[in-house]
Amino acid sequence: MRNSTYLKMGLNMLVHSKLRSWLTIIGIVIGIGSVVGILSLGDAMQEQVQSRLAEMDLTKITISPGYIKASSNMPGPPGMRGSSTDAELTDDDIEALQGLDGIQYIAGQISGSESVIYAAQNATLSITGVDPQVWRYMTTLKTQSGRLLEPADKYVAVIGSVVASGVYDQEIGVNQVITVNGKAVRVVGILEEEGGRGDRSIYMPLDGAVNLLDDAEEGVYDSITVKARSEDLVDELMEDIVDKLMVSRHIIQVDDRDFSVTASKSMAESVTEMTSSMTLFLGAIAAVSLLVGAVGIANTMFTSVLEKTKEIGTMKAIGSKNRDILMIFLFNSAMVGLVGGILGDILGACVSTLFPVLGLQMMRGRGSDTFEVYFAPDLMAFGLLLAVLIGVISGIIPAYRASKLKPVDALRYE
């Protein structure tokens, strides 16, 4: 027989067993739709993560008070705290680190929340005190109007986009004056929306912030930020920072450390790995439904072989070979997978389209309003091929058993 004959007979079997075939196809549709939908979601999340990483400064290293093993590169059970977080970071630490090779900029910063009044309205907002001499070179934030902080500034501020237009009834503009903890502070710049905490923050020079923030002390910092000369130097520089601070702070045992060193690069790698793992995990769960669909196809094919035993006997009696019977049933199972794959792709596309509608916007990129899920053509092709492959694999054993039936036994079958 020709392949066209196999195809015609397999299609004829599919058409004349409508209810059973369609019930089987539904299983494949759900499986393929789930896998394709989740993979397209995963691709979109990966794209959003890569977009955000491209905007991050991966040369940034942050030193924080307290030591948590999970945030360090040292071995140990995740989440174990090594020492108290009461330790302070001071000018002495900055001086100790300034001689290290690989450091381009280093600065301490303080942070806190204070009452901020504008147009007779009061709101408690986050305030960060930064070194204006180097902050403009270390931050990735950009202004939509006005300017960044300058070395001669003191009681001025650069505010996030939400602070400017989303906190008070009246919008705050450049050169407007806000009152922070009773002190007048002039706004010199408004930042572009970046989709993070920076949108709700106020940035001030260290000198001014020390005077306005409660519990702030001159020369004492909540964190120290280091900018490496290049991304390739980050890992080595982190080790040098740990060694240098342990010596300068007279710490002998690693477990006695009272500071933590983290890098944006490490955090970015962790986020990428987490996203990939989550996509793989969800895809594996969706693949279970494919397994159920495959069992359904196999069950349908076994039933079909039993129903058509006499027809198989007749075909063999008039000259059909084992290979002909095998190919007819394999084409039939492949077509079940093909139809399920086509409908599964359509279902996956619908599910992908619904993700943003359902409010899945947690991975918004800077400046983007929605979380967009793309349905790639290669993913559609993958879903289709996977469905056909599952159909063929599920039909192999029933087709083989049908091809091995003896004509006499098949014709006597009741």
Side-chain angles (χ1 to χ4, degrees), residues 106 113-114 288 349 381:
I106 181 170
S113 296
E114 285 296 340
V288 173

Side-chain angles (χ1 to χ4, degrees), residues 305-352:
V305 170
L306 291 176
E307 290 179 348
K308 298 182 181 303
T309 299
K310 280 195 172 182
E311 292 181 35
I312 294 170
T314 302
M315 291 176 66
K316 285 199 167 185
I318 61 176
S320 295
K321 299 177 182 177
N322 289 354
R323 180 177 180 278
D324 297 331
I325 304 300
L326 178 73
M327 294 303 293
I328 290 171
F329 278 93
L330 281 182
F331 266 77
N332 178 239
S333 61
M335 277 188 283
V336 171
L338 177 64
V339 175
I342 294 172
L343 296 178
D345 275 351
I346 296 173
L347 177 64
C350 295
V351 171
S352 301

Side-chain angles (χ1 to χ4, degrees), residues 107-110 127-136 149 202-209:
Q109 69 178 38
I110 60 175
I127 297 176
T128 302
V130 297
D131 185 347
Q133 295 191 25
V134 297
W135 184 60
R136 62 170 54 244
L149 301 175
I202 297 175
Y203 297 90
M204 292 184 60
L206 265 172
D207 291 345

